[in-house]
């Protein structure tokens, strides 16, 4: 017997006002009760008024003329937008009847936020879960996963060693009771971000500057978020999509394989769901800049005030970002400079989560740094934000650079059983369009089956 969960469609995640009125009202009340299953209907970028959660950063912070618009992921259930693709992958498996409650255990390969999302969704939808992740992530991530009732299966290393979590997932999948919500390779992740995040980004700039998106910049973990750029380009063809990588592990840019501190970015691979056709640039961000930038936002009130940022703006920014959010913000600033964008133009980026899972990261910074007094934070502020340079940016729009990325993808995925013929299909936008168009099919199926028993 299969009990299908009562959860939202893709369209309802984009337009929560379209949810049946009494369900929407109950879901909004359930926000205070974190483990109430009605929170499935709060998986959206939008608030109770159907407005996108966002912040337009003060120009006294960014030092650029263009508007830097940040979509805020901390307001999603579980505190990160990664809960969206986790839910999308699980609900598609449910209605396809390839994932059965009571029969299957869910595997969640992750460097943190997706694993938290998997553990949270499985708690609400009554599945057992195992999260596979590196053993050197922030303790807050592990605590959150265990809080939601999932088991941890730790692999050696950091976010730079995400390939090891993938290999471990394939090992665990040999047991037929285990089913992976494989964020790096399953297309519900792509569909969620292209449809829900992409359209939300477009809505977020409607009354900002010229109402258009000149650039969308995001660091690829699974590269799901970058799929928003595919939708942005359908509305604003001139928009540039930029993949941000750690300077210390520049895999896409030049095959780099080092370690880094930007939690939430999985690298050393070109993920299967990364549509490299629409990636126009790759830009590198130094990991210490992202950590120090977070320190400034959280603890540098005096410095921020001295730079012309108001008390209200300082208070508003506090708690909104994690390390990967600062990476994205720094990347957005770099690209605004590189593209020479003016005051009427908009760069959109993403804050995957909030500060609530990074206290230990700033504690580690304090241990590694001799001083973090205001005069040090003032220097960091100027170096990281105001004087952000345009070095280490590669234009990947030409065919030669695309082919390098396709070769990288082949090297990463042929060994996991994908055929060259399948990977070659990804060299055409038709492939990606067909995957995207499955949203209508799944929305119909979710509506038909949700809350029913078979």
């Amino acid at each position: 017997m299969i009990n299908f969960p009562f959860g939202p469609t893709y369209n309802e995640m984009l337009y929560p006002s379209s949810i049946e009125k009494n369900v929407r009202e109950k879901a909004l009340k359930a926000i205070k009760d974190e483990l109430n299953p009605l929170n499935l209907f709060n998986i959206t970028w939008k608030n109770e008024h159907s407005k996108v959660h966002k912040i337009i950063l003060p120009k006294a912070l960014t030092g650029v003329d263009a508007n830097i618009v940040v979509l805020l992921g901390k307001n999603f259930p579980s505190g990160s937008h990664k809960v969206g693709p986790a839910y999308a992958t699980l609900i598609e498996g449910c209605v396809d009847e390839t994932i059965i409650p009571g029969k299957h255990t869910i595997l969640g390969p992750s460097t943190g936020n997706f694993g938290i999302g998997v553990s949270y969704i499985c708690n609400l939808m009554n599945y057992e879960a195992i999260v596979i992740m590196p053993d050197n992530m922030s303790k807050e991530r592990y605590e959150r996963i265990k809080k939601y009732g999932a088991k941890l299966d730790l692999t050696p290393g950091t976010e730079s060693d995400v390939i090891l979590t993938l290999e471990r997932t394939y090992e665990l999948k040999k047991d037929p009771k285990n089913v992976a919500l494989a964020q790096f390779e399953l297309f519900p992740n792509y569909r969620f971000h292209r449809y829900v995040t992409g359209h939300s980004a477009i809505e977020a700039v409607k009354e900002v500057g010229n109402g258009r998106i000149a650039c969308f910049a995001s660091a690829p973990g699974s590269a799901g978020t970058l799929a928003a750029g595919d939708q942005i380009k359908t509305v604003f063809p001139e928009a540039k999509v930029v993949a941000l990588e750690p300077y210390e592990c520049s895999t896409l840019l030049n095959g780099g394989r080092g370690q880094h501190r930007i939690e939430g970015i999985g690298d050393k691979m070109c993920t299967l769901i990364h549509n490299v056709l629409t990636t126009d640039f790759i830009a590198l961000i130094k990991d210490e800049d992202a950590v120090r930038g977070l320190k400034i936002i959280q603890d540098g009130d005096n410095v921020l005030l001295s730079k012309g940022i108001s008390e209200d703006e300082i208070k508003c920014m506090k708690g909104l970002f994690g390390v990967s959010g600062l990476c994205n913000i720094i990347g957005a600033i770099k690209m605004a400079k590189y593209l020479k964008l003016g005051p009427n133009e908009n760069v959109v980026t993403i804050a995957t989560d909030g500060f609530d899972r990074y206290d230990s990261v700033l504690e580690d910074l304090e241990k590694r740094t001799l001083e973090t007094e205001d005069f040090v934070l003032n220097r960091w502020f100027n170096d990281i934000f105001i004087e952000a340079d345009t070095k280490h940016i590669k234009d990947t729009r030409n065919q030669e650079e695309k082919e390098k990325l396709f070769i990288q993808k082949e090297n990463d995925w042929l060994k996991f059983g994908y055929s060259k013929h399948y990977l070659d299909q990804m060299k055409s936008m038709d492939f990606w369009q067909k995957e995207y168009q499955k949203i209508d099919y799944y929305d119909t199926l979710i509506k038909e089956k949700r809350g029913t028993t078979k």
Side-chain angles (χ1 to χ4, degrees):
M1 181 178 291
I2 303 173
N3 296 310
F4 296 99
F6 189 61
T9 62
Y10 283 101
N11 194 62
E12 288 167 337
M13 288 188 280
L14 175 59
Y15 301 114
S17 60
S18 69
I19 297 170
E20 188 178 327
K21 185 177 179 182
N22 71 316
V23 175
R24 173 72 168 148
E25 290 174 350
K26 290 178 181 178
L28 289 171
K29 291 178 182 177
I31 291 173
K32 297 178 181 179
D33 180 11
E34 187 179 28
L35 297 181
N36 186 326
L38 279 169
N39 277 300
L40 293 172
F41 288 89
N42 292 319
I43 298 175
T44 179
W45 286 101
K46 296 177 180 175
N47 62 21
E48 67 273 20
H49 306 297
S50 293
K51 299 292 185 182
V52 176
H53 288 288
K54 69 181 181 187
I55 184 171
I56 304 168
L57 295 177
K59 293 187 179 182
L61 172 73
T62 66
V64 295
D65 291 331
N67 305 300
I68 307 294
V69 182
V70 187
L71 272 60
L72 302 174
K74 72 181 292 292
N75 299 290
F76 278 81
S78 83
S80 165
H81 76 65
K82 289 288 188 128
V83 76
Y87 166 76
T89 309
L90 186 50
I91 195 67
E92 285 195 16
C94 288
V95 297
D96 280 338
E97 300 183 27
T98 58
I99 301 177
I100 312 298
K103 177 181 178 181
H104 290 123
T105 295
I106 303 303
L107 306 177
S110 174
T111 58
N113 279 322
F114 186 79
I116 292 170
V118 168
S119 61
Y120 179 77
I121 288 297
C122 286
N123 184 302
L124 267 56
M125 296 172 69
N126 201 27
Y127 283 90
E128 291 189 2
I130 301 172
V131 176
I132 304 101
M133 62 188 297
D135 64 4
N136 198 25
M137 308 303 294
S138 69
K139 65 181 181 180
E140 293 89 348
R141 279 161 147 64
Y142 303 135
E143 290 169 356
R144 185 74 67 98
I145 288 166
K146 289 187 284 188
K147 169 187 170 183
Y148 294 143
K151 297 177 182 177
L152 279 167
D153 189 312
L154 301 181
T155 58
T158 67
E159 55 280 325
S160 295
D161 300 292
V162 70
I163 195 76
L164 299 179
T165 72
L166 191 57
E167 291 170 354
R168 176 61 176 160
T169 301
Y170 269 74
E171 185 67 27
L172 292 174
K173 279 171 62 179
K174 292 178 181 177
D175 186 335
K177 78 173 184 179
N178 293 332
V179 178
L181 302 191
Q183 61 166 327
F184 307 106
E185 55 190 299
L186 295 183
F187 282 88
N189 189 354
Y190 176 84
R191 285 188 274 277
F192 174 84
H193 281 300
R194 179 166 173 181
Y195 188 71
V196 182
T197 304
H199 282 287
S200 296
I202 292 164
E203 286 187 40
V205 300
K206 278 188 175 178
E207 297 178 1
V208 182
N210 61 10
R212 303 179 67 81
I213 298 175
C215 177
F216 176 72
S218 179
S222 66
T225 307
L226 280 175
D230 286 18
Q231 195 57 32
I232 289 167
K233 278 178 172 286
T234 66
V235 179
F236 308 120
E238 75 282 7
K240 305 300 184 288
V241 174
V242 186
L244 307 173
E245 286 194 297
Y247 173 85
E248 296 75 14
C249 190
S250 51
T251 302
L252 297 177
L253 188 136
N254 58 16
R257 300 279 176 171
Q259 302 292 321
H260 68 88
R261 290 190 172 93
I262 306 178
E263 294 199 30
I265 302 175
D267 42 43
K268 292 187 179 174
M269 74 164 98
C270 179
T271 68
L272 194 72
I273 65 165
H274 184 172
N275 181 10
V276 300
L277 294 172
T278 54
T279 297
D280 299 304
F281 295 90
I282 299 169
L284 304 184
I285 310 299
K286 293 181 178 178
D287 64 352
E288 197 75 323
D289 285 351
V291 176
R292 290 175 173 180
L294 183 60
K295 171 69 175 177
I296 293 165
I297 297 295
Q298 285 300 121
D299 299 330
D301 293 23
N302 292 335
V303 172
L304 295 172
L305 277 170
S306 73
K307 301 298 182 181
I309 302 168
S310 72
E311 289 186 5
D312 286 345
E313 289 171 327
I314 294 168
K315 183 178 180 181
C316 182
M317 288 190 293
K318 210 175 291 291
L320 294 184
F321 313 121
V323 180
S324 66
L326 263 296
C327 168
N328 284 349
I329 288 168
I330 295 165
I333 294 169
K334 282 174 71 88
M335 291 310 301
K337 289 186 175 183
Y338 182 86
L339 297 171
K340 297 179 170 59
L341 300 180
N344 211 30
E345 295 177 287
N346 302 316
V347 181
V348 175
T349 191
I350 303 289
T352 300
D353 53 19
F355 180 69
D356 61 331
R357 53 201 73 181
Y358 294 99
D359 285 290
S360 62
V361 173
L362 293 195
E363 290 170 7
D364 177 68
L365 176 66
E366 296 284 351
K367 293 175 183 176
R368 292 186 290 103
T369 306
L370 180 63
E371 295 173 307
T372 57
E373 303 303 316
D374 282 353
F375 73 91
V376 176
L377 298 187
N378 182 74
R379 174 167 52 83
W380 289 355
F381 179 95
N382 291 328
D383 291 345
I384 294 166
F385 298 112
I386 304 304
E387 297 176 14
D389 61 46
T390 56
K391 297 177 182 177
H392 311 299
I393 297 173
K394 176 183 275 191
D395 189 330
T396 57
R397 289 174 290 179
N398 65 73
Q399 190 56 42
E400 181 182 353
E401 294 300 331
K402 296 296 183 198
E403 194 57 37
K404 289 179 183 177
L405 293 171
F406 285 125
I407 290 171
Q408 174 76 53
K409 186 175 284 194
E410 285 183 15
N411 291 338
D412 292 333
W413 292 98
L414 287 174
K415 63 186 176 185
F416 289 113
Y418 289 93
S419 69
K420 189 172 187 308
H421 173 71
Y422 180 72
L423 296 177
D424 282 345
Q425 291 179 62
M426 295 183 178
K427 297 179 180 180
S428 168
M429 277 302 296
D430 289 344
F431 173 92
W432 302 94
Q433 199 62 23
K434 287 176 183 176
E435 286 294 339
Y436 179 60
Q437 289 170 347
K438 292 179 182 179
I439 284 175
D440 289 339
Y441 166 79
Y442 279 109
D443 274 7
T444 299
L445 209 55
I446 293 168
K447 283 184 177 181
E448 288 176 355
K449 291 189 173 184
R450 64 183 172 190
T452 64
T453 300
K454 179 179 177 181

